[in-house]
Amino acid sequence: MSVHPSRQARLADDRMSVDPPSPQGGGLYLEDIAVDNDYAMYGTNMKAQTYLEELSRRQRAKQIAVPTDDLKVRAKLRELGEPITLFGEDKADRRERLRKVLLERQETVDEDVEMMSVAGSVRSVTPEEGEEEDEEFYTPGDEDLLEVRKQVARYSLVAARQRRLQQIKDAAFPLTKLVKRARGSSDYLKTYALMGTQFVADRAVSIVRFSPNSELIAAGSWTGSIRLIQVPSLEDDDISILRGHTDRIGGLAWHPEATLTQPAGAVNLASGGGDCTIKLWSLSQDAPLATLQGHEGRVCRVAFHPSGRLLASASFDYTWRLWDLEKQQELLMQEGHSKEVYCVAIQQDGALVVSAGLDGIGRVWDLRTGRTIMVLDGHSREIYGVDFSPNGYHIATGSGDSSVKIWDVRKVRVAATIPAHKSLVSDVRFFNGDGEIPGVTQEDGAPPLRGSYLASSSYDGCVNIWKSDSWTLIKSLKGHSEKAMSVDISNDCRFIASSGWDRSVKLWASETMGL
């Protein structure tokens, strides 16, 4: 019987896999060669096998969950019969010591189990015990937190529905007109240049944020003070300096309705400082309305919930916290990071929070359930800036590895990596306003510009503007003589503000716009 040539080749391959030929000349197969790791590594006296075992041991140690709260670390050490602290030991050292102790005890248990297995006396693990080992760990919460989670769920469902309806409407806009509009927006942003500079402190200006009406800039510095500056004149506001912190300002956030519908005497601004406190400010006095205490380390970025009732804060105590501003009390202390938490942002729908810090990891949390829904693992260095896109599913992170990464919450993966700067990326901000570019975005039915571009600041002294459809560079703004430490975009789409190590606040705008 004849066989087609292609079938003959396939049959030959099958015969080879079943009965492989003997190596010619008395050779050996690769899998038959014994692997010997008992050799000295070049330049050291360490055996390769010893090094591999130590590397494996370190990998196992990283997988051991250790509390980030120092009080819990001390309690665990006491429970294990170990000294709760050693001379010259800080919090990080104490956590690593606990990790080492837990690893040693785990290895001891593994050795005992192995010996029992050899003796044939190891009992099988019941399904109930296996379920207990895989059980998730939850931090207990009170009734106030439960009620807030319900309120957040109700708020976010309405906001998400409105956002989705707007996105469906935007999708119907003709593609050719959309491309033309995007090109016009890019051409407009390319005309941005330095409009003014104001020196506002004796030390570095760590953060700047535009007010919701785009008429004020709040600038926090390492002196612990906050300056309120008018836009575009860059002159001091009626209440020019807010004093209350005794250490550097790490974070500033405006109430969503500040300078709009929020009374001047109510909470309009929140700040986090190196004195481990959060201050709440009005626009009618230069002293804080209230002080929120609870963090055990320097407070960095802070963020308002879009409802205006809640505030999130990131801290060097390895946690981020959620605060009830009506009761002025802490609702949640969230652990999960192995190092200091530097930045935090809240989704526009109000359902999700993203935290990131010096461990180079970001975590996306669902405020309605308290669960982590995504881990942002990809940066090789610390994360110093994070922001949610108004589209609800993109997150931007800026890192010490000089890159900006865009993450897609829907696909649970990184969507783009931008080689953004030549040095550390200190801040990232999406445009999140309703402003329009004259002659470009006023066409009937055109989607809003919200989320169409992103700004990043860096220690290379530059502020860069990026398109959010292709993540390509639109314009690089150069003016800071030293590190650029923060950046923000006004809601009216007219200005970009930046601050830096050179103690200045700089205002950028289009050269075609008359001021």
Side-chain angles (χ1 to χ4, degrees):
M1 184 177 70
S2 61
V3 180
H4 192 274
S6 62
R7 179 61 178 166
Q8 290 178 350
R10 186 171 181 179
L11 291 173
D13 291 340
D14 292 341
R15 287 195 295 271
M16 289 282 288
S17 62
V18 174
D19 187 19
S22 301
Q24 299 178 0
L28 295 173
Y29 289 110
L30 182 61
E31 57 268 22
D32 294 333
I33 300 176
V35 178
D36 180 17
N37 290 326
D38 193 24
Y39 61 89
M41 297 179 64
Y42 179 76
T44 68
N45 295 324
M46 182 182 296
K47 294 288 187 180
Q49 183 65 32
T50 304
Y51 176 78
L52 291 174
E53 291 175 354
E54 178 63 21
L55 187 61
S56 176
R57 193 169 184 270
R58 292 178 183 176
Q59 292 294 332
R60 292 197 305 273
K62 290 182 179 179
Q63 297 174 0
I64 296 178
V66 178
T68 54
D69 187 351
D70 189 55
L71 294 178
K72 294 181 180 180
V73 172
R74 292 171 182 260
K76 188 64 177 179
L77 287 169
R78 183 183 288 110
E79 178 185 337
L80 297 174
E82 298 287 336
I84 63 172
T85 187
L86 299 178
F87 179 76
E89 185 180 55
D90 60 15
K91 294 180 181 180
D93 296 334
R94 193 154 36 248
R95 291 185 72 253
E96 290 304 315
R97 181 162 62 89
L98 174 58
R99 193 188 302 276
K100 183 178 179 181
V101 170
L102 292 174
L103 177 63
E104 292 174 350
R105 301 209 173 198
Q106 179 180 326
E107 290 175 341
T108 302
V109 172
D110 292 343
E111 290 176 0
D112 293 342
V113 171
E114 184 177 355
M115 292 176 63
M116 294 173 66
S117 177
V118 172
S121 59
V122 178
R123 68 178 180 88
S124 60
V125 179
T126 64
E128 291 79 7
E129 290 173 334
E131 290 178 1
E132 290 180 1
E133 291 179 359
D134 295 336
E135 184 179 0
E136 291 187 79
F137 173 76
Y138 291 94
T139 301
D142 55 21
E143 290 298 322
D144 290 338
L145 178 58
L146 177 60
E147 182 59 32
V148 166
R149 291 199 191 282
K150 293 178 180 178
Q151 294 176 6
V152 169
R154 289 190 289 266
Y155 180 94
S156 63
L157 287 173
V158 174
R161 183 175 182 273
Q162 294 174 348
R163 173 175 56 83
R164 182 58 185 152
L165 291 175
Q166 181 63 47
Q167 289 173 340
I168 293 174
K169 178 182 176 182
D170 295 344
F173 192 73
L175 181 60
T176 54
K177 293 184 178 181
L178 191 64
V179 172
K180 180 180 179 181
R181 187 194 72 121
R183 187 181 299 113
S185 300
S186 297
D187 291 341
Y188 177 79
L189 293 171
K190 287 178 181 179
T191 64
Y192 267 48
L194 182 61
M195 293 289 105
T197 298
Q198 179 69 277
F199 292 92
V200 299
D202 297 328
R203 299 185 66 188
V205 183
S206 53
I207 186 167
V208 287
R209 291 293 182 260
F210 279 103
S211 63
N213 68 357
S214 303
E215 296 178 2
L216 288 176
I217 295 175
S221 73
W222 282 11
T223 63
S225 64
I226 303 168
R227 292 283 292 271
L228 298 181
I229 307 170
Q230 296 179 359
V231 178
S233 65
L234 296 183
E235 297 177 353
D236 288 338
D237 190 50
D238 295 336
I239 302 175
S240 60
I241 303 179
L242 305 179
R243 293 185 175 91
H245 288 286
T246 58
D247 200 348
R248 66 187 66 181
I249 302 294
L252 286 174
W254 289 91
H255 187 284
E257 293 299 319
T259 67
L260 297 175
T261 62
Q262 185 81 337
V267 174
N268 279 260
L269 184 69
S271 62
D275 53 7
C276 309
T277 66
I278 299 165
K279 306 286 186 184
L280 304 179
W281 308 86
S282 71
L283 296 180
S284 60
Q285 62 184 46
D286 57 4
L289 292 176
T291 299
L292 305 179
Q293 297 180 327
H295 279 296
E296 299 176 1
R298 168 186 168 190
V299 181
C300 297
R301 299 293 193 251
V302 293
F304 273 96
H305 189 271
S307 67
R309 178 185 172 182
L310 306 174
L311 182 77
S313 58
S315 171
F316 271 33
D317 63 7
Y318 294 46
T319 71
W320 68 269
R321 307 195 186 205
L322 191 67
W323 306 84
D324 187 330
L325 297 182
E326 293 180 358
K327 298 181 179 180
Q328 296 182 5
Q329 67 180 20
E330 179 185 306
L331 288 170
L332 172 67
M333 181 188 71
Q334 184 62 65
E335 300 173 321
H337 289 272
S338 61
K339 289 188 177 181
E340 293 86 346
V341 185
Y342 192 86
C343 46
V344 64
I346 301 180
Q347 182 198 35
Q348 194 175 26
D349 296 345
L352 305 179
V353 173
V354 58
S355 61
L358 305 192
D359 56 1
I361 301 293
R363 291 185 179 273
V364 183
W365 310 83
D366 190 335
L367 271 181
R368 301 163 295 187
T369 64
R371 292 172 179 255
T372 300
I373 65 169
M374 183 176 178
V375 177
L376 313 182
D377 187 2
H379 284 293
S380 60
R381 296 287 301 275
E382 306 86 350
I383 298 177
Y384 293 102
V386 65
D387 196 24
F388 264 103
S389 169
N391 65 20
Y393 54 84
H394 277 152
I395 299 173
T397 54
S399 170
D401 61 12
S402 308
S403 73
V404 172
K405 287 185 180 291
I406 309 299
W407 309 83
D408 194 322
V409 178
R410 303 167 304 174
K411 300 178 181 179
V412 197
R413 65 177 179 85
V414 63
T417 299
I418 308 172
H421 291 274
K422 298 178 181 179
S423 186
L424 177 152
V425 180
S426 55
D427 203 2
V428 288
R429 300 287 285 179
F430 279 99
F431 170 61
N432 193 20
D434 296 320
E436 297 180 342
I437 296 176
V440 176
T441 60
Q442 293 179 346
E443 185 175 350
D444 292 339
L449 272 177
R450 189 183 306 116
S452 62
Y453 62 99
L454 169 77
S456 63
S457 60
S458 170
Y459 276 18
D460 62 9
C462 296
V463 173
N464 290 345
I465 309 173
W466 308 90
K467 295 175 62 176
S468 61
D469 54 356
S470 60
W471 310 115
T472 54
L473 181 65
I474 297 177
K475 177 82 173 186
S476 184
L477 306 175
K478 301 177 181 179
H480 286 283
S481 60
E482 296 185 65
K483 307 169 185 175
M485 303 183 70
S486 181
V487 66
D488 197 21
I489 305 171
S490 65
N491 286 343
D492 62 4
C493 194
R494 299 177 65 204
F495 304 103
I496 290 177
S498 62
S499 66
W501 195 269
D502 55 9
R503 302 175 288 112
S504 73
V505 171
K506 296 188 181 296
L507 188 67
W508 312 82
S510 172
E511 294 177 320
T512 63
M513 180 182 65
L515 297 180

